[in-house]
Amino acid sequence: MSDQYDRALIRLSTAEDEKLEPILAKLLPIVFDELLTPTDSAQKKLVNILNHVLTRAKGNGAIKLPALSILQRWFMPAVASTQNGPLFRNLSIIFLDLSIPRLSPQEQIDLSLYSLENFGKLLPGLDRVVAFLAAIPGLGQMAAEGHRKEQVPRCLGLLKSRPPTESSVLFFQIASEFLLIPCGAVEAASVGGLASASWSHWKSRLKSKSAADMVALKCTTLRWLASLGAEPGALVYVPSLVASVENYDAVCNMAESNCKRIDLDLDMDGDMELLGRLTCLGLTSAPEGENSLKVETKASVPAKLRQKVLVLLQRSRGIGGLVPYVVHLIRQSLRESEQVQQSALQLALQLSETVDPEKLVETSQRIMEEIEAVFWPGGGVIAMGTATPLAFKAFGSFARQLAERPSGGGRVLALESAPKMLRLLAANENAAQDDILEALSGLVACLRGSDAHERQDFLPLLDKLVTAPRAVVRREVLRWSSALFPASAPEGRYYALRLLGDQDPDLAKAAESALSSGGREAPPFVDMCSFLSLRALGPVDAAERMSQQQEVLRQGMPPLAAGFTWTDLARALSFLIKLAEAEGLQTVEDYSEPVAKKPRLSNEAGTVFVVLLDYILGTVIEGKPWTIVDEIADGETCLELALKGLHLATSLSKGHDAVLNAVIARAEALLLGQGTAFLRGGTSTRLREDLAPASWAAWPSKRQARPQGTADTTHGHRWTASRWLQQLEASLADSDAGRRAGAALAICELLRAGAETARPAELCRKVLGFLGPAESDTSTLAAACDGLRRLSERKPLVWEALDSLGSGSGLLDRVFELSAPLDGVEVSGHNLELIYASWRFLGQLAAWGGDESERCLDRLISIGKKDVSEEALAAMGLALSAAASDPLDPTGQTAATRVANLQLRLLEMADEKPIDEDVPVERKRTLAAERDVEQRCGVVWSGVIVRRCYAQKVLRVLTVLTFSCLLEPCKDGAAATDNPCPA
């Protein structure tokens, strides 16, 4: 035999490379067979032959080696029994690595299919690793476009047996191991999810691979898996799932794509083989005493992989058939990171619903013990994390199942369990235990299965806890109310309202978030109003209470119930007003009907709202200065909230004389009573510009109200307006500047709203009298300008009064004097308010046309150029916008023409105009500065006017007119600069 080896070596040495392939195809299998059982003398000669072949093959890439024949020797029983197995493996690996890339695609496919079919014959460990790596090129060729149609069916034919053959199972198992190895960690000490022995075999073969090599190998494997489709899902899905935790996007994306493609076809309820493989994938060891599934012992499992397994199992109702393994997986996962804990607890919730009733007690006991040991050992919370709420929820879910199934007394048992968890809550004063009450989800679950009436049993508990001294308890109230009740129910918003001003800033923020959640869902105004009344006032007769409170508004209101504070009620009323606005129950500022047509509300709704509003009104009527200044709810002062509330109450009183009379009485107490803060509020810019006008306009002009003590309703409106105007007229001569300012503003608003009086011109002249030189208080002057400006938006009373006095020019001169402080003099905030108010008043006067209109406009533009601050530019822009309007037809062509003319003037100001080069340098600088001011004014004012036009729906007409004016000079072919714009 030794001589034969020598002759074989000589023949190889003399053979040409082109003739070497058929020789090697016969020789190398014989040599490797002999290598398994050699003598010492023959072994050396065999090695010489292999070295010779290796040297020549490395030097000539065209030499093909019989890779399949070499690989087949790995599947022979002799490999396991011979003592020369290590030598055989080492040498054959070298030849496999060299020969497989040189095979044709079909040869590589044949090699892969042979490995797949016979994989069960290989020894565990290195042999399977080598065979799988050798098969990867053929797997890739199998999935290639040119071979897929013929070769994939061949592969599927090997996998079609049910149950799968041992070779198939082992092949996909080793594929999962390979895909689990991180591409950049081929030399790591260990790999999560692999046993240390398995990793040592992989490491010996992969340590020379770069990350790019690993990515390429994994992508090839994943393409093959993708080509197999969804059959058999239990084999194909797991390797792709494993690869989806890879950090390299190329691998991860392809793996996730495979999973998504197969996902919908998986039978997560009935495919117990798949469920078993997934469960074993997430375990590090088998549960004690269980051996129905084969679990490889390993140190750890990647957290991302375990989490994916847990999430997948949550979809299955078949996990009840794998209870010991699923419970063991949950227990192991509860010791992991918070994200894994959350997924494990979600799986526990699913298990509680699907577990076999016969195993419920044992399963519940083990899960609940583990939850207690991890989250609150010994009755105390270790640390609150994102998974803790689910821990209490899972605990409660099993408690509910234990209560419901054996005896049907789940509701009773859950109620008995509640005190235990509340004691746990009370025992942790310093812990951030936001979700301990979730452990009472047994009760919650029972209530969710019942009707709303039964859930009302929770309300006394929530009402009691919402005023608890500890923030964590109040936070739980917020969470429970949000979970139990929808956003469209009063209960779902009430507790968030109560906690909106909580002293704990985090809790207040959470309440604000809860209050704004739910999208457009909101409780009906009527229901919310009744719910608030019941808790703030208790069970009372609303009509009787409204009558009683009218008498004590100035002396002090009765105390609120249920721990309600005055600020709680203020926030609740602000919310009610918003609800009413959303439902279209609130009238708009233009004295029209509500925006949305709603059925007429019952008398009860308006009555209850007025009773609640009295607590705000009473505070304002006391006349304390802070009611005008301090914000109490949603950025509004007490006075502003009171005015908004009265405005809404007027809308709600439609068709209900008793409610309207009560509203009028309260309005008089608020607006005209001695000591009230409202008239002093005339010094507040916000009240002058926003709330007071709308409130004054709404009350007497909207309804036919019956005066107290009379039966005639025909002249109620006229009677009320006349009486109010008389009292306000008297206040015009008050020594207090704030009261004078408020009275002037209120009279203008009533006249603007159409209040009937025999002396409208006389009242207007009295207000105009404030603009004379005798009045020096800036707040009063500003209020008069604002009131007269708003009156001029609707009626020409101001011009008529001036014409009757023959003092129009003098008034304009006086108003222009009010703007004089801008000439290089620093002014205070009150003076600025007066200046801006005078601008807007002048602009509104100019809107009525006449000889003085152009003069107003010119002087406004001249004044505006003196201050180019943002605030001043905006104020002047509003004044110019008013000057270009048409009060008689705000959206008509006259208004659009005026705006177009003004816009062209402003565009001319904004245009760049060259400065003569002959001008001296200093003069040139002065002109440049003036030009910059003019351009800035033109641009900003033009923008303000466009926005106002858009809001007033004049923009379309304005655009047409503007372009017509711009294009008119060019109609006959003339240059655009040859003729002036006809506008």
Side-chain angles (χ1 to χ4, degrees), residues 128-362:
R128 294 176 182 173
V129 170
V130 171
F132 178 77
L133 292 176
I136 289 179
L139 299 179
Q141 294 295 341
M142 199 182 307
E145 192 66 33
H147 303 283
R148 182 184 306 171
K149 185 175 181 180
E150 295 181 0
Q151 302 303 329
V152 169
R154 288 181 62 195
C155 181
L156 292 175
L158 300 177
L159 304 175
K160 66 181 180 180
S161 61
R162 290 290 181 271
T165 63
E166 181 185 10
S167 293
S168 300
V169 172
L170 292 174
F171 190 86
F172 281 90
Q173 180 180 327
I174 206 73
S176 299
E177 289 186 4
F178 170 68
L179 293 170
L180 188 60
I181 300 168
C183 292
V186 292
E187 295 190 12
S190 62
V191 169
L194 290 183
S196 57
S198 297
W199 171 233
S200 64
H201 296 309
W202 282 108
K203 186 176 182 180
S204 65
R205 291 292 296 136
L206 298 177
K207 60 184 178 181
S208 62
K209 303 289 185 184
S210 66
D213 294 336
M214 290 292 292
V215 170
L217 290 172
K218 285 192 174 186
C219 288
T220 299
T221 306
L222 289 169
R223 278 193 293 271
W224 169 68
L225 290 170
S227 70
L228 299 179
E231 288 291 336
L235 294 177
V236 174
Y237 187 78
V238 173
S240 293
L241 177 68
V242 166
S244 66
V245 303
E246 174 61 61
N247 291 327
Y248 283 80
D249 290 343
V251 176
C252 179
N253 293 341
M254 189 178 296
E256 289 182 347
S257 177
N258 286 359
C259 291
K260 290 178 181 178
R261 189 181 300 111
I262 303 172
D263 192 84
L264 296 177
D265 296 323
L266 296 177
D267 182 6
M268 294 300 297
D269 291 335
D271 193 342
M272 299 306 296
E273 181 184 352
L274 172 61
L275 295 179
R277 294 185 190 283
L278 290 173
T279 304
C280 294
L281 193 61
L283 288 171
T284 59
S285 62
E288 185 177 355
E290 296 290 337
N291 57 8
S292 57
L293 298 177
K294 184 177 180 180
V295 181
E296 184 178 5
T297 303
K298 40 192 173 287
S300 64
V301 174
K304 289 172 63 176
L305 178 59
R306 178 169 272 174
Q307 184 174 6
K308 286 178 178 287
V309 169
L310 292 168
V311 171
L312 279 170
L313 293 178
Q314 292 169 24
R315 295 163 41 189
S316 173
R317 301 193 63 83
I319 55 175
L322 300 171
V323 169
Y325 290 90
V326 175
V327 169
H328 196 52
L329 176 61
I330 292 172
R331 297 183 67 184
Q332 288 187 354
S333 301
L334 289 178
R335 307 287 178 169
E336 289 279 356
S337 65
E338 289 185 343
Q339 288 184 335
V340 177
Q341 285 179 335
Q342 285 181 294
S343 299
L345 291 166
Q346 291 283 9
L347 180 59
L349 288 171
Q350 174 68 6
L351 183 62
S352 70
E353 301 291 336
T354 58
V355 64
D356 188 335
E358 296 181 359
K359 298 180 180 180
L360 174 62
V361 175
E362 179 184 0

Side-chain angles (χ1 to χ4, degrees), residues 5 8 11-12 19-34 46 49-50 53 64-67 69-70 73:
Y5 297 153
R11 184 180 177 187
L12 282 174
K19 300 179 180 180
L20 205 55
E21 181 179 341
I23 298 174
L24 295 178
K26 294 181 179 180
L27 178 62
L28 285 181
I30 297 173
V31 170
F32 278 108
D33 285 341
E34 293 294 326
L46 291 172
I49 293 173
L50 294 176
V53 174
K64 297 180 64 174
L65 303 175
S69 298
I70 297 172
R73 270 63 195 162

Side-chain angles (χ1 to χ4, degrees), residues 461-516:
L461 176 62
L462 297 179
D463 288 337
K464 180 179 179 180
L465 295 178
V466 76
T467 57
R470 294 178 51 222
V472 66
V473 180
R474 300 194 299 274
R475 183 183 292 274
E476 289 301 329
V477 172
L478 178 63
R479 187 182 298 274
W480 273 60
S481 63
S482 300
L484 282 175
F485 303 101
S488 58
E491 299 90 338
R493 299 303 181 103
Y494 165 75
Y495 298 99
L497 277 173
R498 288 293 302 272
L499 297 171
L500 195 57
D502 196 272
Q503 60 187 3
D504 184 296
D506 292 335
L507 180 52
K509 188 175 181 180
E512 182 180 1
S513 177
L515 197 60
S516 60

Side-chain angles (χ1 to χ4, degrees), residues 754-825:
E756 296 184 26
T757 175
R759 304 179 299 115
E762 181 181 348
L763 290 173
C764 183
R765 285 194 294 271
K766 286 192 174 185
V767 177
L768 280 168
F770 283 135
L771 300 182
E775 181 62 60
S776 59
D777 181 73
T778 56
S779 297
T780 304
L781 290 168
C785 286
D786 277 334
L788 292 169
R789 185 256 306 170
R790 285 183 53 78
L791 175 58
S792 297
E793 289 175 356
R794 296 297 180 87
K795 300 177 182 298
L797 276 176
V798 176
W799 274 123
E800 293 172 358
L802 291 174
D803 290 341
S804 66
L805 295 172
S807 58
S809 179
L811 173 73
L812 292 179
D813 291 337
R814 169 57 178 162
V815 177
F816 283 125
E817 285 181 18
L818 300 179
S819 304
L822 281 177
D823 292 330
V825 180

Side-chain angles (χ1 to χ4, degrees), residues 928-950:
E930 293 175 355
R931 187 61 45 78
D932 288 343
V933 168
E934 190 169 278
Q935 288 179 336
R936 176 175 170 82
C937 291
V939 171
V940 175
W941 294 341
S942 179
V944 173
I945 291 172
V946 168
R947 285 201 303 272
R948 296 283 289 183
C949 288
Y950 178 79

